[in-house]
Amino acid sequence: MVANNPVRRRIRVTGTVQGVGFRPFVYRIAKELDLTGYVLNDSLGVLIEAQGAQKSLDRFEQLLIDNAPDLAIVETVTSEELDPSSDKEFVILQSKDLGLAAAPVSIDAATCDQCLIEIDDPHNRRYRYPFTNCTNCGPRYTIIKSVPYDRPFTTMSTFTMCDECQKEYDEPTDRRFHAQPNACPRCGPTLQLISPRGLVLSTGDDALKQTVSLLKEGLIAAIKGLGGYHLAVDASNDASVKLLRSKKGRWDKPFAVMVQDLAWANQICELNAGAKALLSSPKRPIVTCAKKKDHSLSNAIAPNLDELGIFLPYTPLHYLLLKDFGSPLVLTSGNMTDDPIAYEDSDARNRLFQLADIMLHHNRTIYIRCDDSVAKSTCSGQQLIRRARGYAPEVMRLKCSTRRNILAVGAELKNTVTVAKDDFLATSQHIGDLEHLSTYQSFTHTVAHLGNLFGVHPDLIVHDQHPEYLSTKFAHQSNLESLATQHHHAHIASCMFENQTTDPVIGVAFDGLGMGTDGTLWGGEFLIADLEGFTRVAHLKALPLPGGAKAIKEPWRMAVSWLNEICPPEQVEKYSSVLNPKSYLVLSLIQAIPQPTTTSMGRLFDAVAALLGIRSVITYEGQAAIELEMQAMRNTSKKYPKLDYEILTSDSMIVADPSQLLLQILKYKDGGLPLEELAMAFHNSIAQMTVQICTTLASINRIDTVALSGGVFQNSLLSQLCKQGLEKNGMRVMTHHRIPPNDGGISTGQAAIGCWKNRT
Ligand code: ZN
Ligand code: ZN
Ligand code: FE
């Protein structure tokens, strides 16, 4: 039926609207409303021309927002009137490449319920097919080579759809209409089980079944997933888990465990509502939750910890694997400790057969490496710890528009990169620690890829002030205009950006080490900051960092440094000799040669963990602080002591001196006070000290907003104590949710600063 006096509109939809079933959805509602015209994907998003009755068009625009597919994030719908044309039906047109890609690429999404039903149905042609997907689910970011998101530009281009798949792909009413990775057992990727000598042991469903039975025998399997290879073992088999640890050289860092469903998750961990929502979201991160006491898994999975990282299957392959296996599997990144996760087939074979007995391989190419994301659910909401699969790329809108094309290259550890132009920025997946050559290669690959996907051709590079970071060196070698940002300013900027504020805040940046403007290593900082700049107004007392980088891996060194600061000489020796037999060397080093100093809060946590005998040498980053927090969480007593500290104020700077607090810790420990109470007392006093300084700063500077950032704020207990205290004193507190508080958030903060300084 043709409307009387038809109206025609050109409608532009922006946001994450490609590769999420948006065009079929537009087609369906256009048909329902008797509209004619067309829809297409272009580099700006989705473009529609629709013609029909005025009322229908109004309704149509409303439905575009209200009924959008689950994976879509509609940011704007704008329209303009056109002259009516003579088209008779509504069609989906070929994608247009306008050469300026700003349409956000969708994330890799977990298998949807409808696909799972098909996989479980013996009469369905996709019964037990591990690469089943549709427009509501499946791989995206990890298979896309360039935009617009169409099959020829993905790694699925090597597979030709069979007639049946093609029919689904072409049929506008089908769930698989323009599902770019659409596949079936006849035409799509297949599995192979491979031996270390390269023999194909079995293929297809047999490969899956044989993998399951070999895992049951206790073998280690390398399994190709979505963004890389995992190493898998039976999570209940203690010997296998320990063997995997020793082969990987990963001594304590917890392994993640994949469980079949929420019911299984519930048997192993305490789940709050937030954790359940995170676990079952299409993003499917690893979620850290409190372990139940009576779980049946190997204790070698997360030694010394009360928490466990668990996740649910996110591809049909994982779903079938867990279902057939019948109980949880350790699924850890396929690499030797410190290397990046393997994702290319030949590299995986070279590296992983040193660790794995078998390899479950498939022939769908992974274009870009993407680890599993890690998140947690705290009492103040979700917090992302590692942004990767499901969360990358993350596109966020700026409050201002920028006139530059910006690349922010992040920090050295936990590196991510961010591109920005116009009114958006996009942050990459977790890349890793740049000191490893293959991670650095991954960094350069991601820089190029992200720029291409989002059409950002950088004319300004934002980097850290640390001259030795490889990301800084990359920036200098680029010959582009560059902008150096101070590490902790970038932390605070990332928190401000995430909380959509541009007004000045009191920024509390507690982390490991970052280069300060005075050339010393900062990390316990109070800044009056906005996106333009900052003033350092308070910090933790500066102390020698004996042995530089060595002190990071050996918390006892920082403990010796503090002992040297606070105790009389005879006591220094008494306490430090207990910490490490070599402590006298460190002592004479501190006393003889000026060492670099640091104000790092992370290092203070290290020192206390060492003084309390919790951890003197670490095998993974943050281990000492994590174990100190865990001790405090075990505390049930309300009578733990209140520890003292001093706040020294001069004209231009406030210095927080925890010397008293450390002396009291030593005294109480000698007196036999339980570890949990002391750990809790320490957390409580640091929070009090923080609140007191912020309260003073708030009244001096007439600012009532505090932003908490830096890796130390991954510590939920400390965050919560600080937040409560600050709010009690009438301050507004901003924390992290979407952007990690650790160095994974640095590139986002750098980009936010760069955009603001170059706003239109
Ligand atoms: Zn699906
Ligand atoms: Zn097919
Ligand atoms: Fe940092």
Side-chain angles (χ1 to χ4, degrees):
M1 193 184 76
V2 180
N4 295 328
N5 304 322
V7 179
R8 189 177 185 84
R9 284 183 201 162
R10 177 179 290 141
I11 303 168
R12 161 67 64 198
V13 187
T14 67
T16 306
V17 288
Q18 292 187 7
V20 292
F22 205 84
R23 285 172 302 171
F25 152 73
V26 171
Y27 178 89
R28 275 195 303 276
I29 56 173
K31 285 279 179 193
E32 276 165 30
L33 293 167
D34 266 334
L35 305 178
T36 61
Y38 67 83
V39 55
L40 58 80
N41 275 353
D42 64 17
S43 314
L44 297 173
V46 164
L47 183 69
I48 304 165
E49 282 193 18
Q51 180 170 327
Q54 173 131 15
K55 260 171 90 181
S56 306
L57 280 171
D58 292 343
R59 174 92 188 118
F60 181 68
E61 287 192 38
Q62 196 54 47
L63 286 175
L64 289 176
I65 298 168
D66 294 347
N67 286 13
D70 283 352
L71 291 178
I73 304 166
V74 176
E75 288 181 358
T76 59
V77 174
T78 49
S79 64
E80 54 179 319
E81 300 272 308
L82 300 175
D83 289 336
S85 102
S86 59
D87 44 23
K88 297 274 182 296
E89 50 181 356
F90 196 89
V91 291
I92 297 180
L93 294 183
Q94 274 299 330
S95 302
K96 251 194 214 165
D97 183 5
L98 299 182
L100 12 83
V105 168
S106 171
I107 57 159
D108 299 293
T111 315
C112 73
D113 290 343
Q114 283 165 295
C115 283
L116 290 180
I117 290 170
E118 293 176 346
I119 293 163
D120 281 336
D121 175 6
H123 303 295
N124 190 286
R125 70 191 190 93
R126 288 192 177 82
Y127 178 55
R128 290 184 62 83
Y129 182 55
F131 304 95
T132 303
N133 66 80
C134 72
T135 48
N136 301 318
C137 73
R140 299 284 188 278
Y141 181 57
T142 51
I143 61 165
I144 294 175
K145 297 189 208 170
S146 67
V147 287
Y149 174 59
D150 264 337
R151 190 158 170 128
F153 304 118
T154 71
T155 62
M156 281 299 291
S157 60
T158 51
F159 298 94
T160 307
M161 276 185 272
C162 69
D163 291 349
E164 274 179 290
C165 285
Q166 187 69 47
K167 225 168 104 190
E168 295 167 335
Y169 184 91
D170 291 334
E171 172 50 53
T173 55
D174 196 281
R175 199 172 95 248
R176 297 199 165 87
F177 175 64
H178 285 211
Q180 308 304 345
N182 190 26
C184 79
R186 266 179 62 202
C187 66
T190 49
L191 293 174
Q192 278 187 334
L193 184 65
I194 303 174
S195 79
R197 293 171 141 194
L199 289 176
V200 177
L201 303 173
S202 47
T203 60
D205 203 31
D206 290 340
L208 185 72
K209 286 177 173 153
Q210 201 179 351
T211 304
V212 167
S213 68
L214 292 172
L215 281 168
K216 280 201 187 295
E217 286 177 28
L219 265 55
I220 300 174
I223 298 174
K224 186 177 178 183
L226 200 54
Y229 282 76
H230 282 117
L231 291 164
V233 289
D234 180 353
S236 312
N237 186 330
D238 203 44
S240 298
V241 176
K242 285 180 175 151
L243 183 63
L244 178 59
R245 274 208 180 283
S246 71
K247 284 192 165 183
K248 264 191 91 151
R250 177 159 158 159
W251 305 112
D252 301 303
K253 192 178 182 186
F255 284 143
V257 173
M258 189 178 267
V259 295
Q260 194 180 335
D261 50 29
L262 278 182
W264 256 109
N266 218 5
Q267 283 187 39
I268 300 166
C269 290
E270 306 286 350
L271 304 179
N272 58 29
K276 283 182 194 163
L278 273 173
L279 281 168
S280 46
S281 84
K283 295 170 180 288
R284 297 283 157 99
I286 294 169
V287 183
T288 53
C289 306
K291 267 193 263 189
K292 282 193 171 161
K293 292 238 156 36
D294 53 353
H295 70 80
S296 55
L297 307 183
S298 160
N299 281 320
I301 292 172
N304 311 316
L305 294 181
D306 297 339
E307 284 185 342
L308 191 65
I310 54 174
F311 58 151
L312 299 188
Y314 52 86
T315 71
L317 175 60
H318 296 125
Y319 172 77
L320 291 165
L321 201 63
L322 266 291
K323 193 175 169 197
D324 288 5
F325 193 76
S327 69
L329 285 171
V330 163
L331 224 55
T332 183
S333 49
N335 56 5
M336 289 292 282
T337 288
D338 295 338
D339 283 343
I341 181 171
Y343 75 107
E344 289 166 316
D345 298 334
S346 58
D347 175 53
R349 262 172 240 195
N350 287 336
R351 287 202 280 145
L352 298 186
F353 270 131
Q354 296 168 31
L355 311 167
D357 303 302
I358 47 164
M359 179 175 287
L360 185 60
H361 170 263
H362 64 70
N363 55 347
R364 187 176 70 202
T365 303
I366 299 169
Y367 184 70
I368 197 144
R369 169 190 282 137
C370 200
D371 292 72
D372 294 311
S373 291
V374 181
K376 63 180 172 180
S377 164
T378 71
C379 43
S380 46
Q382 341 182 320
Q383 191 181 76
L384 202 55
I385 302 296
R386 180 168 73 196
R387 166 196 310 289
R389 176 190 46 77
Y391 290 86
E394 171 94 341
V395 178
M396 290 171 274
R397 292 288 148 185
L398 301 164
K399 271 191 110 177
C400 60
S401 265
T402 176
R403 52 177 193 273
R404 306 298 294 264
N405 274 240
I406 292 174
L407 167 67
V409 290
E412 175 85 348
L413 301 178
K414 296 190 169 69
N415 180 277
T416 59
V417 296
T418 297
V419 294
K421 74 170 187 184
D422 302 334
D423 68 339
F424 75 92
L425 62 74
T427 298
S428 75
Q429 77 280 20
H430 163 88
I431 296 168
D433 301 347
L434 296 186
E435 60 210 23
H436 310 287
L437 180 64
S438 42
T439 312
Y440 184 76
Q441 286 162 345
S442 190
F443 163 83
T444 55
H445 182 197
T446 306
V447 163
H449 187 51
L450 206 65
N452 276 339
L453 286 186
F454 291 93
V456 178
H457 308 292
D459 52 35
L460 177 67
I461 297 201
V462 192
H463 61 86
D464 196 275
Q465 244 168 20
H466 201 306
E468 294 304 316
Y469 283 2
L470 288 176
S471 50
T472 305
K473 290 183 173 169
F474 174 88
H476 289 151
Q477 282 158 11
S478 72
N479 288 327
L480 295 172
E481 187 183 331
S482 63
L483 170 69
T485 52
Q486 198 278 324
H487 188 86
H488 302 98
H489 183 216
H491 270 306
I492 298 305
S494 72
C495 189
M496 289 177 64
F497 171 70
E498 140 147 51
N499 289 281
Q500 289 284 294
T501 190
T502 52
D503 297 329
V505 299
I506 299 167
V508 182
F510 287 171
D511 79 341
L513 300 168
M515 179 62 71
T517 49
D518 59 0
T520 70
L521 295 165
W522 294 3
E525 312 305 312
F526 296 76
L527 316 175
I528 301 296
D530 57 18
L531 293 175
E532 191 68 44
F534 72 97
T535 311
R536 186 193 200 200
V537 284
H539 60 78
L540 194 65
K541 185 174 188 177
L543 230 63
L545 178 75
K550 263 193 186 160
I552 300 171
K553 297 220 158 115
E554 301 181 6
W556 66 267
R557 286 170 178 267
M558 211 52 213
V560 170
S561 187
W562 274 105
L563 288 171
N564 183 55
E565 180 73 20
I566 60 175
C567 295
E570 64 286 359
Q571 282 195 10
V572 177
E573 272 168 40
K574 177 190 138 195
Y575 285 118
S576 53
S577 61
V578 183
L579 288 169
N580 191 286
K582 277 194 277 178
S583 61
Y584 68 96
L585 288 172
V586 167
L587 261 180
S588 44
L589 192 72
I590 299 172
Q591 287 159 0
I593 311 163
Q595 297 290 303
T597 63
T598 183
T599 54
S600 165
M601 183 58 83
R603 299 288 86 83
L604 177 64
F605 271 72
D606 280 1
V608 171
L611 289 176
L612 286 175
I614 293 170
R615 175 72 42 195
S616 66
V617 176
I618 60 167
T619 66
Y620 63 92
E621 203 221 331
Q623 184 177 14
I626 290 169
E627 291 177 3
L628 180 60
E629 180 192 5
M630 189 193 67
Q631 284 297 341
M633 293 296 287
R634 285 180 182 174
N635 171 59
T636 49
S637 157
K638 289 211 167 78
K639 285 186 295 188
Y640 55 86
K642 188 183 164 306
L643 308 175
D644 300 322
Y645 51 82
E646 267 186 289
I647 292 179
L648 315 165
T649 310
S650 73
D651 284 351
S652 56
M653 192 66 75
I654 297 173
V655 175
D657 183 353
S659 301
Q660 286 302 317
L661 180 158
L662 293 170
L663 283 171
Q664 286 167 322
I665 284 182
L666 292 173
K667 190 187 84 188
Y668 283 119
K669 185 176 175 250
D670 289 346
L673 202 75
L675 215 51
E676 308 93 82
E677 286 185 36
L678 274 172
M680 186 65 195
F682 171 70
H683 277 78
N684 205 45
S685 296
I686 293 297
Q688 254 180 23
M689 185 179 87
T690 306
V691 172
Q692 190 181 330
I693 293 174
C694 287
T695 309
T696 308
L697 292 173
S699 73
I700 299 173
N701 297 281
R702 300 183 183 282
I703 295 173
D704 65 354
T705 306
V706 180
L708 305 178
S709 190
V712 170
F713 284 111
Q714 284 171 154
N715 182 323
S716 304
L717 175 62
L718 182 73
S719 299
Q720 192 196 337
L721 291 170
C722 288
K723 188 165 185 271
Q724 281 169 354
L726 291 164
E727 284 173 348
K728 216 172 115 196
N729 285 7
M731 280 170 273
R732 188 179 146 233
V733 181
M734 301 189 309
T735 56
H736 282 286
H737 300 285
R738 290 167 82 182
I739 298 170
N742 57 46
D743 283 6
I746 287 287
S747 73
T748 319
Q750 291 172 339
I753 294 170
C755 290
W756 182 255
K757 281 180 184 278
N758 293 282
R759 63 190 179 277
T760 51

